[in-house]
Amino acid sequence: LKRYLLDDLPPPLPNKRKNLLFNGSFERGTRGWHTNSRLYTVPDSVDKERSGKASGRNRVRITSYGVRNGGRKVFRAGGFIKSNRWRKVRFVIIERIGDRVVRRKARFRHATPRWRPLRPLQFVSSGRRDSRVAVRLRVRRPSHTWFKADKMWLKKSTRR
């Protein structure tokens, strides 16, 4: 008899029309994302399509392109992660004005060699109309690491 943790249950996948991230599933290559390391797509995915794989020697970080905030809003984000070894991944929703981060909310999740869901993270933006909201994943060193991301989503929420 297997016992499952509530954390290991996959979050419901969002309605594709409501996902504010461009290319959250990496089916269009790496467009919509930028990185400080190497980012490419691989055929290993939650749904047997493609996922994004980031690799590097130090801190490995990928960030989605920002979406316009347009005032004080509540956002929720989630997705799936996987790594070559047990890794602590920092999952962050950030709000930026230009290159300056004005707000952020983060949670850590352990990535393993099997796909694991990111528990949805909720974030209340500052209300600045000129800001953008984005999703970021980051893994700190060891000497060489990689992680994969798939089915990443960001949507406006009605909950506060």
Side-chain angles (χ1 to χ4, degrees), residues 70-160:
R72 191 169 179 86
K73 302 230 177 354
V74 178
F75 292 91
R76 287 174 52 86
F80 291 84
I81 55 172
K82 181 178 181 177
S83 183
N84 55 335
R85 287 186 226 143
W86 186 267
R87 297 264 185 260
K88 192 186 241 185
V89 176
R90 187 172 189 214
F91 172 43
V92 190
I93 299 177
I94 59 172
E95 182 179 6
R96 288 193 302 221
I97 297 174
D99 289 335
R100 186 173 57 96
V101 174
V102 292
R103 288 183 85 147
R104 75 184 75 187
K105 186 167 183 183
R107 170 182 293 141
F108 287 97
R109 174 74 163 146
H110 285 101
T112 65
R114 65 182 179 88
W115 285 106
R116 296 189 77 191
L118 291 164
R119 202 168 84 223
L121 185 60
Q122 186 167 298
F123 173 82
V124 180
S125 67
S126 68
R128 300 271 312 258
R129 293 191 178 280
D130 54 346
S131 68
R132 292 186 164 272
V133 176
V135 172
R136 176 178 286 166
L137 294 168
R138 186 181 82 194
V139 177
R140 292 186 187 241
R141 296 177 231 211
S143 59
H144 185 76
T145 190
W146 62 258
F147 71 90
K148 296 176 185 175
D150 195 24
K151 303 292 177 250
M152 299 302 298
W153 55 270
L154 174 70
K155 64 181 184 174
K156 291 179 187 169
S157 176
T158 55
R159 287 192 239 172
R160 285 201 184 226

Side-chain angles (χ1 to χ4, degrees), residues 27-63:
E27 263 83 39
R28 295 180 181 151
T30 59
R31 292 186 313 166
W33 296 87
H34 55 94
T35 184
N36 67 339
S37 55
R38 187 168 176 231
L39 179 63
Y40 48 98
T41 60
V42 292
D44 176 24
S45 173
V46 174
D47 62 359
K48 308 301 180 222
E49 293 286 329
R50 306 221 32 106
S51 66
K53 182 176 180 179
S55 63
R57 295 214 171 269
N58 291 309
R59 254 188 264 191
V60 178
R61 178 179 70 209
I62 64 170
T63 308

